[in-house]
Amino acid sequence: MCTRERKPRPAPIRSDTFRKLQPLPLPLPLPPSSQQQLAGSRLSGFDSSIVQDATNRLARCGLGLKLPPLPTESKGVFLEDLQREEIIGRGSSGKVYKTIHRKTGTAYALKVIQEHHEPLVRKQTMKEMGISRHCADSPFVVQCHGVFERGGEIFLILEYMNGGTLADLLNKHGRLTEPVLAHITRQILKGLQYLHSKKIVHRDIKPSNLLLNHKQEVKIADFGVSTELANTLAQCNSFVGTCAYFSPERFDPDVNGGKYDSSADIWSLGLTVLECAIGFFPCLKPGQKPDWPTLICNICLDDPPAPPTDASVEFQGFIRACLQKDPLRRPSAHKLLMHPFLQKYQNRPTIPI
């Protein structure tokens, strides 16, 4: 019999004994008021990493501290400064309000993503904020002035565009003339040219993501759509409005190994411009409701939608250039800005907002 003394085994640690803290996408600073208090206290001599660590732990507890200020901010814009006026948009994950800054009278759009949102929604929100940071110097991209999280809800303070969306314009007028379309298209292309120069593919160009104001400006909005959306039929059905503007290669994973680039935005632009010209979605018959199988067949198997025969030769050429199934044959945004269609209409007609 062995006389060696056995060492007692340590008691196993239950997996639910400690809750692992999840890392946040971005470090969160203390609010300005707290920073001023720290400046005159004994904590001001501590290593700043200690203060930052404490701040991050508070943020994980859901105290809703403000994310780092965006480059476009000259003065901080906080939720407490905004007075909600009216609802200007609704979506599956929340609402958009028109708000007024109580001190300056400046109008902002407040996008509220409701509580109990999916992790993907949070990821999309952080992506939208990150892209807005890199696009702060573009007049063709809707600016983001702050992101907050309070009580499980996410708040984005955005530039307010008082002319609504291009989809609203279509619902109001039905169709748009070529001179007006050229003026709108030129601004969208300048926005895409800027994004693509930053190696950013929007992935969701469509009328409801193109905003207008009474200064006759057109800007690109909503950068939160992720490449990880929907691979199954059940998931894709909830995004059928977005999928309708997908380029053929985005539906077929066998094309280019499932990868796509900025040319996918050019296809979506072509569909959007053509829709504005004819008054209905080009891949469907007038009044036909979109469904997944129909979209797959019409976009991937049928010939690309054709421009109307009564349109100008320049407009027809522009649409055909955008709606080529081979992504390598689609012109870049830079080249399309020099297209005869845009060169033909150099004046700036009034957009009938």
Side-chain angles (χ1 to χ4, degrees):
M1 180 176 181
C2 180
T3 59
R4 182 182 299 176
E5 183 180 356
R6 294 185 177 181
K7 295 181 180 180
R9 295 182 177 179
I13 299 177
R14 290 173 51 187
S15 60
D16 60 349
T17 303
F18 301 99
R19 181 174 63 88
K20 184 179 179 181
L21 295 176
Q22 297 296 322
L24 291 177
L26 293 171
L28 301 176
L30 288 173
S33 58
S34 301
Q35 292 175 354
Q36 295 171 0
Q37 293 173 4
L38 284 176
S41 69
R42 289 179 296 174
L43 286 178
S44 61
F46 275 44
D47 186 346
S48 61
S49 62
I50 298 176
V51 178
Q52 184 67 66
D53 180 70
T55 303
N56 288 340
R57 290 179 180 275
L58 288 173
R60 293 187 185 104
C61 296
L63 297 185
L65 301 179
K66 186 176 182 293
L67 290 169
L70 296 175
T72 54
E73 291 183 323
S74 57
K75 296 181 180 179
V77 182
F78 299 93
L79 286 176
E80 294 76 14
D81 297 329
L82 301 180
Q83 175 67 45
R84 298 187 189 185
E85 295 286 315
E86 59 180 322
I87 296 176
I88 57 176
R90 299 176 185 270
S92 59
S93 61
K95 301 175 182 178
V96 181
Y97 296 85
K98 176 188 176 182
T99 65
I100 300 296
H101 195 283
R102 291 187 174 93
K103 298 179 181 178
T104 65
T106 303
Y108 293 94
L110 180 64
K111 187 175 182 179
V112 182
I113 299 174
Q114 62 193 11
E115 192 178 358
H116 308 306
H117 48 266
E118 296 295 328
L120 179 59
V121 174
R122 181 179 178 87
K123 179 176 180 179
Q124 291 174 349
T125 303
M126 299 311 299
K127 178 179 178 182
E128 182 166 1
M129 175 187 169
I131 291 178
S132 295
R133 283 170 168 251
H134 289 89
C135 302
D137 58 341
S138 174
F140 305 103
V141 173
V142 172
Q143 302 298 306
C144 178
H145 296 283
V147 179
F148 298 82
E149 186 169 7
R150 302 282 173 87
E153 291 185 323
I154 300 176
F155 301 83
L156 287 86
I157 302 176
L158 305 169
E159 177 183 4
Y160 176 61
M161 300 291 286
N162 56 10
T165 69
L166 186 57
D168 297 331
L169 197 65
L170 281 178
N171 291 333
K172 181 179 179 180
H173 297 285
R175 298 172 57 181
L176 300 178
T177 64
E178 285 192 18
V180 171
L181 268 179
H183 181 43
I184 292 174
T185 303
R186 183 178 293 107
Q187 296 184 70
I188 300 172
L189 280 171
K190 287 182 179 179
L192 288 178
Q193 180 185 28
Y194 179 89
L195 291 175
H196 296 168
S197 71
K198 298 284 187 179
K199 309 299 182 185
I200 297 171
V201 182
H202 187 279
R203 303 183 180 94
D204 200 21
I205 295 295
K206 58 182 179 180
S208 59
N209 283 344
L210 301 169
L211 307 187
L212 307 94
N213 62 26
H214 287 96
K215 297 178 182 179
Q216 301 290 297
E217 295 173 333
V218 182
K219 302 191 179 189
I220 301 173
D222 283 350
F223 299 91
V225 172
S226 170
T227 56
E228 293 153 14
L229 289 179
N231 284 326
T232 66
L233 179 60
Q235 290 173 319
C236 268
N237 278 338
S238 62
F239 294 97
V240 69
T242 290
C243 292
Y245 296 85
F246 278 9
S247 57
E249 66 271 17
R250 294 187 66 182
F251 283 104
D252 190 352
D254 295 329
V255 177
N256 297 331
K259 299 179 181 179
Y260 54 91
D261 56 17
S262 57
S263 62
D265 285 343
I266 300 301
W267 172 280
S268 302
L269 171 68
L271 283 184
T272 298
V273 175
L274 182 54
E275 180 176 357
C276 292
I278 62 179
F280 58 91
F281 182 65
C283 294
L284 299 173
K285 298 177 181 178
Q288 183 181 7
K289 294 183 178 180
D291 62 78
W292 185 248
T294 302
L295 286 174
I296 286 286
C297 292
N298 292 358
I299 295 176
C300 296
L301 302 181
D302 289 352
D303 293 332
T309 55
D310 59 347
S312 68
V313 175
E314 293 83 2
F315 180 81
Q316 293 186 41
F318 182 89
I319 295 300
R320 291 194 179 97
C322 293
L323 298 182
Q324 300 193 67
K325 286 200 169 182
D326 184 354
L328 298 177
R329 299 185 62 183
R330 293 175 208 146
S332 65
H334 175 73
K335 289 185 178 179
L336 285 173
L337 281 168
M338 298 180 285
H339 193 277
F341 169 59
L342 299 185
Q343 298 300 318
K344 180 179 180 179
Y345 301 105
Q346 291 289 345
N347 60 330
R348 300 183 57 178
T350 300
I351 302 175
I353 297 175

